[in-house]
Amino acid sequence: MNFIFATPEQAITGSLVVPVFKDDLCALSGLSAEAQIKTLIEQEQISTKAGVVTPFFNAEQPLILVGAGKREKFSENELLKLVQNLAVTLKESQAQLSLLVDVLVPEKRDISWTLTQITQQWLSSLYSYDITKSEKTPVTKTELLVFITENTNDAAVTLGQAIANGMNVTKQLGDLPSNICTPTYLAKFAAKLAEQHSEFEIEVLEETDMEALGMGSFLSVSKGSDEAAKLIVLQYQGGEANQAPHVLVGKGLTFDSGGISLKPGAGMEEMKYDMGGAAAVLGTMHVLSELKPALNVIAIIAAAENMPSARASKPGDVVTSMSGKTIEIINTDAEGRLVLADALTYAERFNPASVVDIATLTGAVIVGLGVHPTAVYANDDNLSSELLAAGNESWDRGWPMPLWDDYAAEITSPFADLRNTGSIARAGGSITAAMFLKAFAEKYTWAHLDIAGTAWQGSKGATGRPVPMLTQYLLAKQAE
């Protein structure tokens, strides 16, 4: 699908998409059918409700009217709803569309932001999973979207396209079943990205390599599975060789049964999404492959399965991490923090400018925040503020969470340096998990994103988040 610009004075072909507000019909100005459309709106035969699409056949030019609600309430969310509905409604019927965009700029946003969001939301809305279906999703008929505006901005559109492509990569990896998307599959996917783009280099550590490094925490999770674990290290070199890299660490549990602490059977099929952090990191690296920013980024993906077997770790076992810290395993279903502990220690060797780990870490975060914001933890206030600002700018929002020393006592053990769950049942589970990770990120500036509530939405599948937030964060670093 292509995007181009045209001014209001230029002749256009194809259907013209006209946003109509309940209390502002300025977009109708100059249309030959203006009076007729206004009458139909007054008679409530054409809806101005946000996202409602109404075709209007005109002898001069076919029109598509899309409701935008009340102008004073036209927010970022209303824009996204409008674009998503347009993309899905028209994808099988319209080859070329022209959209009046200047009237769609939300308050406190500008035309560049709006163009990026329209492009991103349009393309990401067209994603449809069909890899394991015998009947494939029809290709969208919409080949061209023309932005009608005086404000041409190709860079804004390019950014939106790249983010959408990265989000769709993330969605597809998340939606794949775990018998296909294994740790080996993720490693091959990353290797293909490196093969296609000269800016990337890849190294995949096998279990023997991890054993030699002393990654007892990581390996305690994978030992119950027949699928070999992988530590995938994908490096993007866009900056100077001596420039400190920004490191993204993704939790890649391609299936999480809970291990010996077995999860309930109902809903366990969704545990294929426990590699949402890894998927988001790979999606973000895909964005970098398109935008090619001048900075260095390293992806570290801790990929494994958590399965019950005679070899599996047991509650009460004590393991030694790569850092030398010992860990009492209280619950084998708190496995994500165990693989991340060693991945975070491994990140030290790169002398990073920052490290951000991304993980579907705890169900507790959904209890606390629901499914709208990503939980943001950090050992540095500036990094926390940067991620929150990136989330607000990309409209992939986060919410700050505490890492007070008060919680440290809840992850101490009489039998090891740390325990892998909090000592107070069900209290602050997302926080104590983050506190555990903090113990392995003491040597650099670090943040943790708990995306258990935002990486997927039940039967709707993977969301592609937080690729927009991560992209905006990295691009802001490039601008420094």
Side-chain angles (χ1 to χ4, degrees), residues 145-179:
L145 179 59
V146 182
F147 293 123
I148 307 299
T149 176
E150 299 283 2
N151 301 283
T152 300
N153 191 326
D154 291 325
V157 173
T158 298
L159 176 60
Q161 287 176 299
I163 293 175
N165 292 338
M167 291 177 70
N168 290 344
V169 163
T170 298
K171 291 178 187 179
Q172 182 171 293
L173 288 172
D175 288 338
L176 281 169
S178 63
N179 61 319

Side-chain angles (χ1 to χ4, degrees), residues 37-73:
I37 294 172
K38 286 182 177 178
T39 299
L40 292 173
I41 290 174
E42 290 173 2
Q43 295 173 348
E44 297 184 348
Q45 294 185 49
I46 293 177
S47 176
T48 59
K49 184 177 179 181
V52 175
V53 178
T54 307
F56 184 88
F57 297 99
N58 185 305
E60 295 184 7
Q61 182 180 30
L63 302 176
I64 295 172
L65 307 174
V66 56
K70 290 186 177 181
R71 165 54 78 181
E72 63 181 18
K73 293 184 178 180

Side-chain angles (χ1 to χ4, degrees), residues 127-275:
Y127 167 83
S128 180
Y129 178 85
D130 64 5
I131 290 180
T132 50
K133 294 182 178 181
S134 57
E135 187 172 333
K136 302 305 179 183
T137 304
V139 177
T140 177
K141 290 183 178 179
T142 308
E143 298 176 352
L144 180 66
L145 179 59
V146 182
F147 293 123
I148 307 299
T149 176
E150 299 283 2
N151 301 283
T152 300
N153 191 326
D154 291 325
V157 173
T158 298
L159 176 60
Q161 287 176 299
I163 293 175
N165 292 338
M167 291 177 70
N168 290 344
V169 163
T170 298
K171 291 178 187 179
Q172 182 171 293
L173 288 172
D175 288 338
L176 281 169
S178 63
N179 61 319
I180 294 176
C181 188
T182 62
T184 299
Y185 183 95
L186 290 178
K188 289 180 178 178
F189 186 93
K192 186 175 181 180
L193 189 64
E195 180 183 332
Q196 293 172 336
H197 301 279
S198 60
E199 299 87 358
F200 288 92
E201 291 184 3
I202 187 168
E203 180 183 12
V204 179
L205 276 66
E206 305 293 344
E207 289 188 342
T208 52
D209 301 314
M210 291 184 262
E211 187 173 358
L213 289 168
M215 292 186 172
S217 183
F218 190 136
L219 293 173
S220 73
V221 175
S222 65
K223 64 189 291 189
S225 174
D226 290 340
E227 289 286 347
K230 309 284 183 181
L231 188 73
I232 305 161
V233 183
L234 182 63
Q235 300 192 43
Y236 168 81
Q237 188 83 27
E240 298 295 331
N242 61 352
Q243 182 187 95
H246 297 278
V247 178
L248 304 179
V249 180
K251 174 188 170 184
L253 266 293
T254 56
F255 191 77
D256 177 21
S257 69
I260 296 298
S261 305
L262 193 67
K263 292 177 180 290
M268 195 192 288
E269 71 279 0
E270 291 191 357
M271 287 302 97
K272 68 178 185 177
Y273 290 112
D274 211 18
M275 42 65 71

